[in-house]
Amino acid sequence: MSKRIVVDPITRIEGHLRIEADIESGKITDAYSSGTMVRLLEEILRGRDPRDAWAFVGRVCGVCTSIHSLTSVRCVEDALDIVIPPNAELVRNIMFCSQYMHDHVVHFYHLHAMDWVDVVNALKADPKKTSELAQSISKWPKSSPGYFSDIQTRVKKFVESGQLGIFANGYWGHPAYKLPAEVNLIGLAHYLEALEWQKEIVKIHAIFGGKNPHPNYLVGGMACAISMDDVSGINAERLAYVGQLLQQGKEFIEQVYIPDLMAIASFYKDWGAIGGGLGNYLVYGDLPTNGYRDPASYKFPGGAILNKDVSKVYDVDLRKEEEVQEFITHSWYEYKEGKDKGLHPWEGESKIKYTGPKPPFENLDTSKDYSYLKTPRWKGNAMEVGPLARMLVGYARGREDFKEVVDKALKDLDVPIAALFSTLGRTAARGLESVLTAQWGLEFFDQLITNIKNGDTRMAEMGKFDPATWPKTAKGVGHTEAPRGALAHWINIADEKIANYQLVVPTTWNASPRDNKGQMSAYESSLIGTPVADENQPLEIIRTIHSFDPCMACSVHIYDEDGKHISRISILGD
């Protein structure tokens, strides 16, 4: 007989996510993903000025900050037929790349690494052997025996006090942990080091966007003026600092993140056959090199792959009604024409109808509605979005930069390409695209400097900013590749106001409930067949779910009446 495990909430993510999984003979046979919170920004935006939408949607998330604002200004620019200047495109690209560098490093070390690294076991490591190992895989200067010994001393004080602080509630000592103590100590040391590094790279957003999180954007370009001798503008000193931060970020990724990723992955090759899931991948593409309207110029090419067939990449058109549709068959919403009809986002509706049990409850009735997430589909197919999708599409499109980093990683780990379709592949893909975006960020920076030297300082096109120049009605779509995957906003404008606004975000694609055909989405599908060694400590569930880097919302946590954080593992029935 199967047992149902409930993990609620999944921790080390953004927002609220509940997983219910049926386990039989030590493996997951069925799984359900439930988004248990809602904010309904679509309704908040209705009736507002389209030029202000970016400021509202930017608050969707404080971790992948800026990405929704970028998507928003693009959808308005598309609706109003605005083409931004090259420098504004370059600044947006630089901010995009720095966001990826920050987000992926934070995810690996602070949200996901502890699924593989045993913090307590790191105290058993020999600092001298740890130093030798670290120096054998990287030239990063902080690698002396004394450095690692000091890290042990800091953490030992937490352990001996019985208060692990930021490392509390881990499954330390779980049988699924495989790393030698020395590798655990390297991971722990760089966890702490990444905390310091990550606050530096975000300064790029503050320089170009005025602040971080939630930097400023502008319909028509960017709200920053290039003025080489003006202390209040983007001057020579600030541009030089941006170049320095990008270079430092590239060094951290190449000398810390990637060596750690490969070292850890080498002990978990079995996870190259676990957590694969759907086998369908969707990418919108981004980082234009010849303007946003030229998808062929994107550094991240767009496309769709079905059934793991990398010999064929399908084109994607976000304007066609039959391509992207959202269903609510098992969602706490209602549509005017019923729950089994899919709607293209330009026709989208966002009316909540909660029919679930009254909290607190033991389990959801998953035969009915069980999530606040809608269920998006591409041509009727459930699709995975995110780093793995991007790396696969780039590889399948024959892009040499993608093939170079992917082939090297496969060779270094001595695993076949099939290993990419897995939890391990998903985690590795995030690191590999960090290498690419670190390189691209410097390329865009050099292009910006060249443009400025050639006398081009334009940062905005304001010819259609005045609503008096707008048509009576207009509609547009803006897309990007958020760190977590394909993101698009659709807008309908009428009488100078937002008539309808729909966001279809990466985690909606991946974490959504079943559709009207009973098809699972990525989270649910990826858990099927996953082994679980200890039902009371389902580390394996956490590993696969974290490999997607869930973002249900921005920095939301649940606490009880005594101020204690709630995280519950329940085993229901036999």
Side-chain angles (χ1 to χ4, degrees):
M1 296 293 290
S2 65
K3 292 182 179 180
R4 176 160 292 193
I5 285 182
V6 178
V7 187
D8 181 22
I10 298 284
T11 56
R12 281 185 278 131
I13 67 168
E14 294 77 58
H16 297 173
L17 174 64
R18 175 189 180 98
I19 296 292
E20 298 195 9
D22 295 337
I23 297 179
E24 187 172 349
S25 301
K27 287 190 176 182
I28 295 176
T29 57
D30 208 351
Y32 299 89
S33 169
S34 174
T36 56
M37 68 169 293
V38 65
R39 289 187 299 176
L40 216 58
L41 278 165
E42 293 90 341
E43 293 303 302
I44 293 173
L45 287 168
R46 193 182 297 272
R48 296 185 183 273
D49 191 320
R51 298 168 299 181
D52 295 339
W54 68 266
F56 288 88
V57 299
R59 273 67 182 174
V60 167
C61 183
V63 176
C64 51
T65 181
S66 84
I67 210 73
H68 280 280
S69 295
L70 170 63
T71 310
S72 181
V73 294
R74 281 177 170 173
C75 82
V76 177
E77 288 160 357
D78 180 61
L80 302 178
D81 193 27
I82 297 172
V83 178
I84 69 173
N87 287 345
E89 198 86 82
L90 289 168
V91 167
R92 289 180 180 183
N93 285 351
I94 292 169
M95 293 174 69
F96 178 106
C97 290
S98 64
Q99 174 64 51
Y100 265 55
M101 295 160 70
H102 175 271
D103 196 272
H104 286 349
V105 167
V106 167
H107 172 262
F108 179 73
Y109 286 105
H110 307 132
L111 304 180
H112 194 27
M114 298 302 107
D115 301 333
W116 315 95
V117 174
D118 188 331
V119 170
V120 176
N121 178 261
L123 299 179
K124 300 178 181 179
D126 181 336
K128 184 175 183 297
K129 291 181 179 179
T130 305
S131 174
E132 292 171 351
L133 176 60
Q135 292 176 21
S136 73
I137 61 176
S138 172
K139 59 181 180 181
W140 188 247
K142 293 184 178 181
S143 58
S144 68
Y147 171 73
F148 289 113
S149 179
D150 288 345
I151 295 294
Q152 280 185 313
T153 301
R154 289 170 60 187
V155 176
K156 187 177 181 180
K157 291 178 181 178
F158 284 112
V159 175
E160 290 179 343
S161 71
Q163 299 179 11
L164 283 172
I166 57 176
F167 302 120
N169 299 323
Y171 296 152
W172 316 128
H174 192 285
Y177 283 119
K178 295 183 178 181
L179 297 180
E182 286 72 25
V183 180
N184 282 322
L185 181 54
I186 290 173
L188 172 59
H190 291 159
Y191 175 109
L192 298 172
E193 200 165 333
L195 281 174
E196 294 299 316
W197 171 83
Q198 59 88 25
K199 65 183 176 61
E200 298 299 316
I201 192 70
V202 298
K203 292 177 181 177
I204 292 174
H205 280 198
I207 290 170
F208 287 126
K211 59 190 176 75
N212 179 278
H214 313 310
N216 295 309
Y217 277 75
L218 175 70
V219 171
M222 289 300 295
C224 56
I226 295 174
S227 181
M228 300 304 286
D229 300 318
D230 188 344
V231 294
S232 65
I234 305 300
N235 55 35
E237 180 183 4
R238 289 178 181 174
L239 286 169
Y241 192 31
V242 169
Q244 176 185 330
L245 291 169
L246 289 170
Q247 183 61 43
Q248 291 172 348
K250 181 173 181 289
E251 291 171 358
F252 191 89
I253 286 168
E254 293 178 349
Q255 297 180 29
V256 181
Y257 179 11
I258 296 303
D260 287 359
L261 171 63
M262 298 302 289
I264 291 171
S266 68
F267 290 93
Y268 290 102
K269 292 184 184 180
D270 55 324
W271 280 81
I274 298 172
L278 296 170
N280 298 335
Y281 303 93
L282 178 66
V283 180
Y284 296 157
D286 207 338
L287 290 179
T289 60
N290 188 41
Y292 173 69
R293 296 188 177 191
D294 181 11
S297 76
Y298 290 1
K299 289 283 194 179
F300 278 124
I305 293 172
L306 298 176
N307 302 315
K308 303 181 183 178
D309 182 4
V310 295
S311 69
K312 173 67 174 177
V313 182
Y314 299 87
D315 292 332
V316 176
D317 189 339
L318 300 181
R319 298 176 181 276
K320 289 185 177 179
E321 181 179 347
E322 68 275 13
E323 294 216 5
V324 175
Q325 294 182 330
E326 287 193 296
F327 294 83
I328 58 167
T329 309
H330 287 282
S331 305
W332 290 312
Y333 293 90
E334 61 180 353
Y335 284 166
K336 295 175 183 176
E337 296 186 28
K339 291 185 69 68
D340 288 334
K341 179 180 174 59
L343 295 180
H344 184 272
W346 269 329
E347 308 300 325
E349 302 173 19
S350 298
K351 186 176 181 181
I352 295 173
K353 185 178 181 181
Y354 182 75
T355 57
K358 182 179 179 180
F361 52 85
E362 287 299 318
N363 64 296
L364 293 162
D365 183 351
T366 49
S367 67
K368 299 178 181 178
D369 301 349
Y370 62 90
S371 181
Y372 274 122
L373 276 66
K374 297 179 184 177
T375 304
R377 293 291 181 257
W378 179 76
K379 292 188 174 181
N381 295 289
M383 308 296 288
E384 176 178 332
V385 301
L388 178 56
R390 286 189 289 265
M391 295 306 294
L392 288 171
V393 168
Y395 193 94
R397 290 284 194 192
R399 288 279 302 273
E400 288 302 321
D401 43 359
F402 285 78
K403 293 179 71 174
E404 180 181 348
V405 295
V406 171
D407 288 342
K408 183 179 186 304
L410 294 175
K411 181 180 178 181
D412 290 348
L413 290 173
D414 191 25
V415 295
I417 192 171
L420 292 172
F421 305 105
S422 66
T423 296
L424 183 66
R426 203 172 290 117
T427 300
R430 187 170 283 104
L432 298 181
E433 71 173 8
S434 297
V435 173
L436 294 178
T437 52
Q439 296 170 355
W440 295 339
L442 285 167
E443 290 178 19
F444 293 129
F445 175 76
D446 290 342
Q447 293 168 19
L448 177 63
I449 296 301
T450 298
N451 286 357
I452 295 170
K453 287 180 177 179
N454 290 336
D456 185 0
T457 59
R458 295 172 299 152
M459 288 298 292
E461 170 52 59
M462 305 303 290
K464 297 181 180 179
F465 194 77
D466 186 345
T469 65
W470 301 355
K472 185 174 180 59
T473 62
K475 63 182 182 180
V477 57
H479 71 264
T480 187
E481 283 294 322
R484 290 154 184 83
L487 168 66
H489 294 190
W490 284 260
I491 190 171
N492 297 74
I493 301 172
D495 297 323
E496 304 176 4
K497 302 295 182 183
I498 298 173
N500 195 12
Y501 199 105
Q502 294 291 320
L503 303 83
V504 182
V505 306
T507 299
T508 310
W509 283 100
N510 289 333
S512 49
R514 286 159 167 78
D515 61 19
N516 59 339
K517 299 177 183 178
Q519 294 181 109
M520 296 179 179
S521 295
Y523 285 11
E524 296 178 346
S525 178
S526 68
L527 290 173
I528 305 303
T530 298
V532 177
D534 184 347
E535 296 168 353
N536 293 297
Q537 293 187 331
L539 176 63
E540 298 87 351
I541 291 177
I542 305 298
R543 278 181 179 169
T544 289
I545 296 299
H546 278 168
S547 74
F548 290 94
D549 192 9
C551 187
M552 313 303 292
C554 169
S555 303
V556 181
H557 306 279
I558 302 179
Y559 293 85
D560 66 15
E561 62 271 19
D562 298 318
K564 295 181 180 180
H565 188 269
I566 299 172
S567 183
R568 182 167 64 97
I569 308 297
S570 300
I571 300 178
L572 306 174
D574 291 318

